[in-house]
Amino acid sequence: FALWCKAEDKEENDVPKEEDLSVHRVMKIKERIFQLITERLSQGMSMDDVAEMCGYPSRDEFELVLKTYFVTIHNIEARLRKNDNK
């Protein structure tokens, strides 16, 4: 319901987290993932350990997925938005 309310009709805290689209933005998700990775690294885990924890056989494969995934999703969103303006 909160998605259809006018901004002046609701306070920011009234929007349930699962309905707040800013929480789902690609760059916000990327930021949260990198914060979690940083936390694990600061706890003494290696990047190899983090990759294994996330289900990847190697650090290289995990880092490649991280690099390409967000770029791919960002490009898809940008192309879809660009086509809205036609």
Side-chain angles (χ1 to χ4, degrees), residues 24-84:
H24 302 293
R25 291 186 181 270
V26 173
M27 292 307 166
K28 288 289 187 185
I29 295 168
K30 180 180 181 180
E31 184 180 315
R32 289 195 307 269
I33 287 173
F34 279 94
Q35 285 174 349
L36 290 168
I37 290 170
T38 301
E39 286 176 21
R40 297 294 188 251
L41 295 174
S42 68
Q43 293 169 354
M45 292 181 77
S46 70
M47 196 59 167
D48 292 315
D49 295 333
V50 174
E52 185 179 329
M53 172 189 276
C54 293
Y56 291 90
S58 71
R59 171 189 181 152
D60 290 339
E61 186 174 334
F62 181 58
E63 289 176 344
L64 179 64
V65 167
L66 287 175
K67 288 176 187 175
T68 59
Y69 176 78
F70 292 109
V71 170
T72 301
I73 296 299
H74 175 76
N75 289 340
I76 289 170
E77 181 180 23
R79 288 179 184 139
L80 288 168
R81 289 187 186 283
K82 181 180 176 183
N83 287 328
D84 280 345

